[in-house]
Structures are given as structure tokens and as C-alpha cells.
Amino acid sequence: MAKKALIAGVSGIVGSATAQLLLEHGWEVDGLARRATDQAGVQPILADLQDADATAMALADCRPDAVFITTWLRQNSEAENIRVNASMVRNLLKALREMEGPRHVALVTGLKHYLGPFGAYGQGSLPQTPFREEQGRLEIENFYYAQEDELFAAAARDGFTWSVHRPHTVIGVAVGNAMNMGTTLAVYATICRETGRPFIFPGSAAQWNGLTDMTDARQLARHLLWATTTPAAANEDFNIVNGDVFRWSWMWGRIAAWFGIEPVPFDGAVRPLEQQMAADAATWHAIAIREGLLEPDLQRLASPWHTDADLGRPIEVVTDMSKSRRMGFRDYQATDDAFYTLFEQLRAGGWIP
């Protein structure tokens, strides 16, 4: 019999990629989101995870073998991030408890586990790179920790196995996503080409010169499926990245070349995208109308604040994948190819010209 998955956040970058992979492997997929998904093969379930009663009602007939939690909601403070995002995990797992319950639950968080939340991002005493799972938690409030604690408590209570997955910046297709560097850079490059503005790296010297890595959404999906179906991976936390490392001084030129523009060498000054793109809404709207693009609202496509947070970090960020490798996960994805694939998908889908 086909296995059944429930993906919370199925319309997002990670959720949609995970749904596609599971469908290719013969799983049945229920996709939970606040708005209906039109992804082929996915059975939509509409619910707001902040509403415990509505969530329980929406999941009354859901009997998943595995649950993938790939969603979060950004709030105005870390205290609110903790309250809202912990309650979403709690409400979801409580609703499933009323049924037979899943056998495995996978939670996607990220490297803010090691770097700290947005309000204290990359500040204070941080663990050495490359980040390893054994380094544990920072002594600071973090909604990722609160989500994990809800997962651990429910697993101990209800008897399912769990896994926690910590990607670096995720590359993939989604619209209206709060953390979307790939699409943001695609939109920025398109505007630079349209207006003749220089394609200026917005970040810090540490990011321009230092080593870093990223996570393709398809690579993360493969990792989620691997952990769910590998007994040795049960009840473990994992870093998950593509497997290569690069410097932005190299990648910036690769991205510029794809769009047919010239990269501007970094001159030591930080020029955040939030400032560079602050007046670009009208320009993007004009491009979208002229080219017949699907989304003329710049704010729905680009998330400059998140790209600035990643590219403006004052420290090198590299992730160790030894734990997964030792357990048998061997997949690899070149990051420049991940960007190219994303750009091709955005163009083919009518999101960029």
C-alpha cells in the first residue's frame, strides 16, 4: 500500500519540493496550508495552524504515516515568534494525536539554531564553523528551540519517531515566501538589466570573501525522505546542505552571467537590498505588465530583508554534513546549478522575463 504524507506548509519552497519528491516515490500527499495549493497530485487541506479547533477539524480524516513540518510565520519580536510558531507545531501534533497518529514527524528549522534569531542574528558568542549538530543550542531565546521542544514532547507522549533538519539558505520556487534569496536575486538582476543599474553585491566583506554553502529545496526534500525511511536516522537532528562550498566573490559573477549583466566588484561598502530596491515597486510592476508576468507585486516575489540578513553576516558560515554522510546520505547538488535551475523555472513559469 502507498504511504501517506502530510506536509504542513505545502505551498512553500520546501513543502512544494517535498511533495513533488514524495509523489514521484509513490506516496499519497495531503498538503496543509492556509490557502489552497494547485500542485498536481496533492490533496489540499485548508487550515490555519494557529487555530487549534480548526486544525483538528481539518485533519479529522487524515491518517498520515509521516508528517513534514515546513512552515513558520514571521512575527514582530522573538517572543511572538516563539509563541506563534510553537503553538502551530503543538496544534498540529495535538490534532493528529486524536487520530491514530503518525509514525514519523520531520521538522525543518535552519542554521539560526547556531546563529541566533533575527533579533540577535550572528551576535554574541557563536560556535565555531563548520557548524556541527553536537554544538547544541545558544543561550538565547529562539523559536526554533521552541518548535523542537514541542516536537520532542509530542514524540515522548505519542510514541512516534522524529527528525530535525537544519538547512542553510534554501534555493527553490515559491511565491509570497518570507525567506526567498534565489527569487529575490532573480528579480534584482532583472531590474538591474532593465534600468542599467549596476549589479552590486549587497552584503559584507566576510560573505564576499569567506566560504559559505546553501541548500537546494530538492536536496532538502531528499534528506527528509531519507530520514523518514532510514531507521538509524530516527530521533536525530541533522544539518543539510548541498555538499559544495563557494565564495560570493565567485557566485556573484555566475549569477550575473546568467542574466547577461556585469557584476560589480565588491568595494568594501555594504549596500543592503532593502535600500537598493526600496523604490523598485513601480519598475517591477511595469516590467510585469509589459512581459505578461504572473506577479506584478514586488513584495510578493522578493524578500530583500532576508537576503540582507544572510549576505550581511559578519562571519563565515559553513555547515558540516558528516553526521548524515556517516549514516548513508550521499546526495549532492552543485549550488550554481541550483541557482540556474531556479532561474529557468522562474522564467518558464512566467515569474521573470
Side-chain angles (χ1 to χ4, degrees):
M1 294 179 62
K3 292 184 178 180
K4 175 172 279 193
L6 172 65
I7 302 176
V10 72
S11 59
I13 293 175
V14 178
S16 59
T18 303
Q20 181 63 40
L21 181 67
L22 292 175
L23 290 168
E24 291 170 359
H25 281 76
W27 287 59
E28 297 177 6
V29 177
D30 288 344
L32 189 151
R34 287 175 295 166
R35 291 177 292 273
T37 178
D38 58 359
Q39 189 169 357
V42 175
Q43 178 64 39
I45 297 176
L46 300 184
D48 183 346
L49 288 176
Q50 296 180 81
D51 187 329
D53 292 338
T55 299
M57 185 177 300
L59 295 176
D61 297 322
C62 189
R63 301 290 188 277
D65 297 291
V67 176
F68 302 89
I69 304 175
T70 69
T71 186
W72 74 288
L73 288 176
R74 187 189 183 201
Q75 305 300 310
N76 292 327
S77 68
E78 193 58 21
E80 278 299 288
N81 277 331
I82 290 169
R83 184 186 67 80
V84 169
N85 290 285
S87 72
M88 289 166 61
V89 175
R90 182 170 60 253
N91 291 342
L92 172 63
L93 297 180
K94 183 177 184 296
L96 293 173
R97 183 190 189 192
E98 303 302 323
M99 280 46 87
E100 295 177 2
R103 298 179 184 133
H104 186 85
V105 178
L107 170 67
V108 177
T109 60
L111 292 197
K112 287 189 291 297
H113 183 94
Y114 308 106
L115 287 162
F118 290 119
Y121 197 48
Q123 301 174 17
S125 178
L126 300 177
Q128 286 188 325
T129 56
F131 294 139
R132 294 181 172 88
E133 296 89 346
E134 66 202 43
Q135 291 168 323
R137 297 180 174 184
L138 303 175
E139 294 183 1
I140 188 171
E141 293 296 311
N142 189 323
F143 82 86
Y144 282 170
Y145 305 161
Q147 287 183 309
E148 286 185 346
D149 289 342
E150 293 292 344
L151 174 67
F152 301 156
R157 180 191 67 211
D158 299 334
F160 58 77
T161 60
W162 56 265
S163 56
V164 174
H165 304 255
R166 299 180 187 132
H168 198 171
T169 305
V170 179
I171 304 170
V173 177
V175 176
N177 190 275
M179 300 191 295
N180 199 339
M181 179 191 285
T183 303
T184 299
L185 293 180
V187 170
Y188 173 55
T190 300
I191 291 172
C192 287
R193 184 178 61 197
E194 173 80 11
T195 62
R197 278 165 35 192
F199 187 58
I200 299 173
F201 181 72
S204 66
Q207 294 306 303
W208 181 257
N209 296 313
L211 292 173
T212 193
D213 49 29
M214 294 182 74
T215 308
D216 188 301
R218 298 165 300 173
Q219 172 82 338
L220 175 50
R222 292 189 290 267
H223 196 252
L224 287 163
L225 178 57
W226 166 79
T228 298
T229 57
T230 301
N235 304 328
E236 297 285 352
D237 54 353
F238 297 104
N239 298 329
I240 169 61
V241 287
N242 287 336
D244 62 352
V245 294
F246 63 92
R247 302 180 199 278
W248 276 104
S249 57
W250 175 79
M251 186 66 77
W252 200 246
R254 305 281 285 179
I255 292 173
W258 197 93
F259 286 92
I261 56 180
E262 290 295 322
V264 177
F266 181 63
D267 64 2
V270 177
R271 297 179 174 88
L273 281 183
E274 274 203 301
Q275 296 176 13
Q276 292 193 54
M277 300 179 70
D280 283 340
T283 299
W284 181 257
H285 188 274
I287 294 171
I289 297 302
R290 186 190 71 210
E291 301 292 336
L293 302 181
L294 294 178
E295 183 51 74
D297 185 348
L298 181 63
Q299 292 186 347
R300 288 269 298 155
L301 282 177
S303 53
W305 68 272
H306 175 257
T307 300
D308 288 338
D310 275 5
L311 297 184
R313 289 181 298 217
I315 58 172
E316 178 181 270
V317 178
V318 183
T319 314
D320 184 84
M321 277 277 292
S322 298
K323 185 175 182 179
S324 292
R325 302 300 188 209
R326 289 190 180 104
M327 290 185 178
F329 183 78
R330 301 282 189 262
D331 288 61
Y332 165 84
Q333 171 65 59
T335 301
D336 53 344
D337 287 341
F339 272 119
Y340 301 156
T341 298
L342 169 64
F343 300 154
E344 290 164 0
Q345 290 174 316
L346 292 173
R347 180 169 286 173
W351 302 106
I352 64 173

